[in-house]
Amino acid sequence: MKKLGIVLFIAAALVFAAPVVMTAYGSFVSEGIPTLQNYADLLFDCFIFYPMFWNSVLYAVVITAVQLLVIVPCAFGFSQAKFRGKGALFTAYIILMMMPLQVTILPNYIGLRDMGLIDTRLGIILPMTFSPFGVVVMHQYMKSIDGSIIEATRLETNSILRIILTSVIPQIRACIFAVAIFVFADCWNMLEQPMLFLKRTELKTLSVFIADADKYSGNVLLPASVIFMIPIFLLYLFFNEYLEKGLTLGELS
């Protein structure tokens, strides 16, 4: 039975890996001949690739950094504070987290339009900053931290910021890395927001470049797809240990 499970796992892994391998292979082949011409065409002839790539980097890095600044104190408040309606408010967070993007994107568009933020970088960054996913995950993780350390810090200071920096963050470092990776991946892969909220091509992202396959020749799309996959692959390669520690359900109470 164990061998059957291993075989099924390997088969599933091959199925999921096949498109990635085929994309990488195709990026180095032209008319059946191994070549780097596809990458040369992308990097030296398709100049719109560069602003779109750096837009993806900018959005993903800024949104991830700002989200963490919001997530940690918000999750700490849900974990430690006592106030009327806390349970209902946290339930609302969970409901929002479970809602598909298609449900919330229209209200976001209307709000950004009324604030004059359509076709601006802030119009992409602002709605993504307050995603409930990280708050829910980090709140659950905080249930497993040592409360005595927090109480000891409270005897020395009344500063919430100092309590978070000295007694909370060191205990949730693994979860912070894990959440940051998921948030970065989500922002890196976002497609609907830049397509709907942005009009100028120079503000759009690499995911939009790949989605607009009919506008570009096939020889540049495959290498662009390979470059698009590299940041997420590197994040997982170097930080997979934090993912395992930070999102292990067995550690959450």
Side-chain angles (χ1 to χ4, degrees), residues 85-159:
K86 183 175 76 171
L89 181 59
F90 188 71
T91 301
Y93 265 74
I94 296 175
I95 293 173
L96 285 172
M97 182 183 71
M98 297 175 64
M99 282 186 177
L101 176 64
Q102 290 77 6
V103 175
T104 59
I105 200 163
L106 179 59
N108 283 337
Y109 182 89
I110 294 173
L112 293 172
R113 181 198 61 190
D114 294 343
M115 291 188 291
L117 295 178
I118 293 295
D119 201 28
T120 65
R121 287 189 170 91
L122 188 57
I124 297 294
I125 295 171
L126 188 61
M128 296 287 290
T129 298
F130 302 99
S131 173
F133 168 78
V135 176
V136 173
V137 172
M138 200 162 292
H139 169 263
Q140 292 299 109
Y141 190 88
M142 282 187 181
K143 292 181 179 181
S144 65
I145 66 177
D146 189 353
S148 63
I149 298 178
I150 298 176
E151 294 300 326
T153 308
R154 280 177 173 170
L155 296 176
E156 300 177 2
T157 179
N158 290 325
S159 171

Side-chain angles (χ1 to χ4, degrees), residues 1-20:
M1 193 67 181
K2 184 177 180 180
K3 292 182 178 180
L4 177 60
I6 294 174
V7 171
L8 291 176
F9 174 80
I10 294 175
L14 291 174
V15 169
F16 282 101
V20 177

Side-chain angles (χ1 to χ4, degrees), residues 213-233:
D214 58 324
K215 296 182 180 179
Y216 309 100
S217 60
N219 63 320
V220 301
L221 287 176
L222 289 177
S225 299
V226 172
I227 294 174
F228 183 74
M229 292 187 288
I230 289 175
I232 304 303
F233 175 77

Side-chain angles (χ1 to χ4, degrees), residues 40-54:
D41 292 341
L42 174 67
L43 299 177
F44 299 114
D45 293 332
C46 189
F47 296 110
I48 192 61
F49 166 81
Y50 290 99
M52 287 184 160
F53 173 82
W54 289 114

